């Protein structure tokens, strides 16, 4: 049996079984991948044993993810985030490294061992945090932007950490070969110059040459070749960065930012996204496989203490820094919890420190398992945050008081979304004075920015309707999109202000029936006219006469509205309603098709 194919099957099968279960219980895909890795790993079922080799391959998923994130950004946005990237990110790495170094020295380890471990533990999991933020749609919040800024600085910080590590090797141990580069033999300033030239070359190629290359491939009209080119760009930049000793993730991120304004940006995203998702899943599975539970059984208290200490120290530092940089308590708590774990680069740095004989092998295994456990614990921590902390903060947010209304107009519009705005603009453009009531404060602020006058208020409240002049008004337009709230307003107005004529927006046929039963003077189904207009234009585009299609559309409209009104007599009797609908559909087809034969 081909062992490689068997391993691929095990990975795919485990992901397909465990991840949907985790998502079903709202635990997130990351925790599902970690659980799948634990189940198939050497310390559970033992279906796959070599997690380390798989992780080296799976780390390419992190590289792809940062390339795609770079595609979503522009230099202007990075410049706007410079304060949090350099200030917050720099302080986090320095303070966290210092804190863990002090803890290590206090526990009796040498300062070299403590500093090496502290620098590695200061980094958080870019793959984990960004995946969680994307799944919960938090990337564009202040919490998401701050987290991304710190993670970006951490990825950059890997380079100086790799430079500092050999200086700590006081025992003269062999230098690890996993991170050697083609320029390792040059002097420091020469290496820096070469790295700078390589990064400039990547930026220049992305800005000035990439469009010509992508255009040449696009002209072949072979999608698979374009996909191959997209992958080749990422792999090529990764290899180039490895050759000069730079973090591949940083290099591909820079390339992504450069290509953010490319006309082929969306095609690149589409081609790479599936590979990124699979490789990231493979990465998290390999993390789960690498968790040495034999070590956990041997010293459970030490490991649990290390994991709790790691996450508590990092979360405390992050919380203090977040407060200093202006995050509110809700976002700051999420920021601290999200980045409290160790990161995937810690695995690499521990191995590097082990090769330099800075950290003994037993310590490397212990720290690696502690970081893996912290990664596994983070989705659970964020689950507690989303289900317990967020609702508590949201419940104590001060509610904005409703506006006082100091005018009485003949027309009141309840709800000023897309539907209500069209009506309001049409009326005001002809000099009709309108009192607008809108329950969404953000919508009110937006309307005021564009010069519309509206009041923040709930039209289902009797006192607000009275202050809006409902007793003297001639017309109430109910443009609320919530059918239940709409009916509540209608029934309240019919009971308290019987002289007020009501025009209402109907969400669907059922809502139209309820509005008619409540005594609404006029109702209109919100999508009916626009859908019918598009259907008419589709028939014209298919080669039919425009005047004929306009006439048929009017026939359709007249027939449908008449049938809807007739159906109200037995709308709650489903069998009779179904039979009536079938009869009317047949009648409509007969009317329209007989008209076609008559025209020919």
């Amino acid at each position: 049996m081909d062992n490689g194919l068997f391993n691929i099957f095990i990975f795919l099968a485990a992901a397909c079984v465990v991840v949907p279960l985790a998502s079903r219980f709202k635990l997130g895909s990351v925790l599902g991948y970690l659980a799948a890795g634990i189940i198939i790993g050497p310390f559970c079922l033992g279906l796959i044993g070599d997690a380390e080799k798989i992780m080296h391959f799976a780390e390419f998923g992190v590289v792809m993810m940062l390339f795609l994130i770079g595609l979503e950004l522009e230099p202007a946005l990075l410049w706007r985030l410079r304060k949090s990237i350099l200030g917050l990110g720099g302080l986090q790495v320095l303070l966290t490294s210092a804190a863990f170094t002090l803890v290590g020295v206090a526990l009796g380890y040498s300062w070299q061992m403590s500093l090496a471990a502290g620098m590695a533990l200061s980094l958080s999991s870019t793959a984990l945090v960004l995946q969680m933020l994307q799944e919960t749609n938090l990337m564009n919040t202040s919490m998401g932007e701050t987290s991304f800024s710190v993670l970006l600085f951490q990825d950059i910080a890997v380079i100086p950490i790799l430079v500092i590590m050999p200086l700590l090797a006081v025992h003269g141990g062999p230098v690890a070969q996993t991170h050697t580069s083609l320029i390792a033999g040059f002097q420091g300033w020469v290496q820096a110059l070469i790295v700078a030239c390589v990064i400039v070359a990547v930026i220049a190629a992305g800005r000035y040459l990439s469009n010509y290359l992508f255009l040449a491939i696009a002209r072949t009209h072979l999608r698979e070749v374009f996909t191959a080119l997209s992958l080749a760009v990422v792999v090529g930049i990764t290899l180039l960065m490895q050759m000069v000793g730079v973090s591949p993730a940083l290099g591909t991120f820079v390339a992504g930012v450069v290509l953010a304004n490319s006309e082929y940006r969306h095609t690149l995203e589409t081609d790479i996204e599936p590979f990124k998702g699979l490789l990231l899943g493979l990465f998290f599975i390999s993390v789960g496989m690498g968790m040495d539970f034999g070590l956990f059984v041997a010293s459970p208290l030490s490991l649990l203490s290390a994991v709790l200490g790691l996450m508590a120290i990092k979360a405390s530092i992050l919380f203090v820094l977040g407060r200093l940089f202006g995050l509110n308590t809700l976002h700051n708590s999420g920021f601290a919890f999200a980045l409290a774990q160790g990161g995937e680069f810690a695995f690499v740095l521990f191995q590097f420190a082990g090769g330099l004989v800075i950290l003994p092998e037993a310590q490397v295994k212990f720290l690696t398992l502690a970081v893996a456990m912290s990664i596994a614990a983070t989705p659970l921590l964020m689950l507690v945050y989303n289900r317990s902390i967020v609702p508590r903060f949201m419940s104590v947010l001060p509610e904005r008081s409703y506006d006082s209304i100091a005018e009485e107009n003949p027309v009141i519009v309840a709800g000023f979304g897309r539907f209500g705005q069209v009506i309001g603009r049409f009326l005001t453009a002809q000099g009709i004075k309108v009192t607008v009531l809108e329950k969404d404060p953000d919508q009110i602020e937006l309307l005021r920015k564009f010069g519309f006058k509206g009041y923040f208020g709930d039209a289902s409240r009797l006192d607000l309707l009275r202050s809006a002049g409902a007793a003297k008004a001639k017309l109430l337009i109910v443009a609320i999109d919530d059918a239940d709230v709409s009916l509540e307003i209608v029934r309240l107005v019919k009971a308290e202000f019987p002289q007020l004529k009501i025009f209402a927006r109907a969400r669907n046929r059922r809502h139209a029936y309820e509005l008619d039963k409540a005594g609404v003077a006029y109702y209109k189904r919100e999508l009916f006219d626009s859908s019918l207009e598009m259907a008419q234009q589709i028939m014209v585009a298919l080669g039919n006469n425009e005047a004929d299609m306009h006439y048929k559309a009017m026939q359709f409209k007249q027939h449908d509205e008449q049938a809807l009104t007739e159906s109200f007599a037995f709308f709650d009797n489903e069998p009779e309603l179904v039979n009536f609908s079938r009869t009317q559909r047949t009648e409509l087809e007969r009317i329209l098709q007989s008209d076609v034969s008559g025209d020919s």
Side-chain angles (χ1 to χ4, degrees):
M1 180 186 292
D2 189 324
N3 193 52
L5 287 177
F6 177 74
N7 289 346
I8 292 173
F9 171 75
I10 293 298
F11 273 115
L12 295 176
C16 291
V17 172
V18 180
V19 175
L21 286 174
S23 299
R24 170 68 179 81
F25 293 102
K26 297 182 179 180
L27 299 176
S29 64
V30 173
L31 196 59
Y33 284 122
L34 290 169
I38 293 171
I39 292 171
I40 66 175
F43 301 99
C44 192
L45 297 180
L47 299 177
I48 300 177
D50 195 350
E52 185 176 344
K53 288 184 179 179
I54 294 168
M55 183 176 290
H56 287 314
F57 175 71
E59 284 172 355
F60 191 56
V62 181
V63 171
M64 282 191 168
M65 178 182 64
L66 283 169
F67 178 74
L68 289 174
I69 290 172
L71 284 177
E72 294 292 335
L73 300 176
E74 294 182 2
L77 178 59
L78 290 176
W79 179 251
R80 181 170 67 82
L81 296 176
R82 67 190 184 281
K83 180 181 176 182
S84 53
I85 293 174
L86 298 176
L88 181 55
L91 283 172
Q92 183 272 327
V93 171
L94 289 174
L95 293 177
T96 308
S97 299
F100 285 126
T101 300
L102 292 175
V103 170
V105 172
L107 292 175
Y109 297 101
S110 69
W111 70 267
Q112 292 92 343
M113 290 178 60
S114 301
L115 180 57
M119 290 189 297
L121 293 174
S122 70
L123 308 179
S124 304
S125 175
T126 301
L128 174 71
V129 177
L130 294 185
Q131 183 82 353
M132 289 192 304
L133 292 175
Q134 289 171 348
E135 286 182 355
T136 52
N137 296 318
L138 293 174
M139 273 299 293
N140 294 325
T141 64
S142 57
M143 169 191 163
E145 288 187 352
T146 305
S147 300
F148 171 75
S149 300
V150 173
L151 290 168
L152 179 57
F153 185 88
Q154 290 178 357
D155 290 335
I156 298 171
V158 172
I159 302 170
I161 290 174
L162 288 172
V163 174
I164 294 171
M165 282 281 194
L167 303 179
L168 304 177
V170 294
H171 300 295
V175 177
Q177 299 299 312
T178 51
H179 293 278
T180 57
S181 66
L182 295 180
I183 63 173
F186 294 97
Q187 295 182 7
W189 68 272
V190 178
Q191 291 186 38
L193 180 62
I194 294 174
V195 169
C197 290
V198 168
I199 293 177
V200 169
V202 169
I203 294 174
R207 185 171 294 275
Y208 300 108
L209 300 178
S210 62
N211 277 346
Y212 297 105
L213 180 60
F214 287 123
L215 176 61
I217 298 299
R219 284 175 174 170
T220 65
H221 302 291
L222 296 173
R223 183 60 183 271
E224 64 273 16
V225 179
F226 201 100
T227 301
L229 176 63
S230 302
L231 293 173
V233 167
V234 181
V235 174
I237 295 172
T238 301
L239 291 173
L240 180 61
M241 292 300 161
Q242 285 181 336
M243 285 192 290
V244 296
V246 177
S247 164
L250 175 63
T252 48
F253 172 77
V254 171
V257 172
V258 172
L259 293 172
N261 292 319
S262 169
E263 60 183 294
Y264 298 101
R265 164 189 153 190
H266 295 296
T267 307
L268 281 166
E269 289 177 328
T270 303
D271 286 344
I272 293 177
E273 183 71 36
F275 297 95
K276 185 258 316 185
L278 284 172
L279 287 171
L280 270 181
L282 182 60
F283 171 79
F284 290 122
I285 290 176
S286 64
V287 171
M289 289 172 55
M291 296 177 70
D292 188 345
F293 288 96
L295 184 59
F296 178 78
V297 172
S299 52
L301 292 179
S302 298
L303 268 167
L304 288 175
S305 300
V307 173
L308 290 174
L310 163 65
M311 301 188 77
I313 291 173
K314 290 190 75 171
S316 300
I317 293 173
L318 287 163
F319 189 86
V320 172
L321 290 176
R323 179 59 61 88
L324 291 175
F325 278 77
L327 286 179
N328 62 39
T329 305
L330 178 62
H331 286 156
N332 198 21
S333 301
F335 165 65
F337 288 160
L339 273 69
Q341 76 293 128
E344 54 272 356
F345 283 118
F347 301 131
V348 178
L349 293 174
F350 289 147
Q351 295 296 327
F352 188 51
L356 294 169
V357 199
I358 301 172
L359 294 173
E361 184 179 356
Q363 202 67 32
V364 169
K365 289 183 177 181
F366 182 89
L367 291 172
T368 299
L369 181 56
V371 168
M373 290 175 65
S374 72
I375 291 176
T378 301
L380 294 174
L381 188 63
M382 291 304 294
L383 191 66
V384 172
Y385 168 76
N386 288 321
R387 293 188 178 181
S388 300
I389 297 178
V390 172
R392 179 174 299 179
F393 274 92
M394 296 301 291
S395 64
V396 299
L397 289 177
E399 293 186 3
R400 172 177 168 177
S401 58
Y402 291 136
D403 294 336
S404 57
I405 303 173
E407 62 177 340
E408 293 183 353
N409 293 314
V411 177
I412 301 172
V413 178
F416 213 62
R418 292 170 297 175
F419 193 92
Q421 283 180 40
V422 174
I423 297 173
R425 288 168 53 199
F426 184 77
L427 294 178
T428 54
Q430 300 179 80
I432 305 298
K433 292 187 177 181
V434 175
T435 299
V436 173
L437 304 178
E438 172 58 56
K439 193 176 180 180
D440 184 352
D442 295 332
Q443 182 71 4
I444 284 292
E445 294 303 322
L446 181 63
L447 293 174
R448 289 173 179 172
K449 286 181 182 179
F450 286 90
F452 291 99
K453 187 176 182 181
Y455 295 97
F456 171 57
D458 185 356
S460 64
R461 288 180 45 168
L462 179 60
D463 58 334
L464 197 73
L465 288 173
R466 290 189 189 280
S467 64
K472 298 180 181 179
K474 297 179 180 179
L475 193 67
L476 171 67
I477 302 167
V478 182
I480 305 289
D481 60 354
D482 189 306
D484 293 333
V485 177
S486 170
L487 288 168
E488 182 182 348
I489 295 172
V490 168
R491 289 164 183 154
L492 175 65
V493 170
K494 294 300 291 183
E496 299 293 334
F497 311 102
Q499 89 292 345
L500 194 57
K501 186 177 290 186
I502 303 175
F503 280 49
R505 163 193 186 180
R507 292 281 291 176
N508 47 45
R509 300 176 85 89
R510 163 62 64 176
H511 190 204
Y513 164 66
E514 296 291 348
L515 290 171
D516 182 81
K517 189 166 65 172
V520 168
Y522 179 87
Y523 56 84
K524 192 68 179 177
R525 285 171 287 165
E526 57 186 9
L527 298 178
F528 183 76
D529 285 343
S530 57
S531 301
L532 185 57
E533 173 66 22
M534 178 171 283
Q536 177 182 333
Q537 295 303 319
I538 289 171
M539 292 299 292
V540 173
L542 291 174
N544 293 280
N545 181 272
E546 185 170 2
D548 289 345
M549 291 304 103
H550 177 73
Y551 175 69
K552 290 178 183 296
M554 292 303 99
Q555 281 187 307
F556 181 94
K557 180 178 181 180
Q558 181 180 358
H559 181 273
D560 188 82
E561 291 181 342
Q562 181 179 347
L564 177 62
T565 304
E566 291 177 4
S567 70
F568 289 166
F570 41 82
F571 206 86
D572 290 322
N573 187 335
E574 185 173 340
E576 190 172 350
L577 180 62
V578 170
N579 289 333
F580 177 78
S581 298
R582 289 176 176 174
T583 302
Q584 291 300 312
R585 184 171 65 246
T586 303
E587 176 66 14
L588 177 62
E589 292 174 357
R590 186 192 64 78
I591 292 173
L592 295 181
Q593 292 179 10
S594 64
D595 187 63
V596 170
S597 61
D599 290 343
S600 59

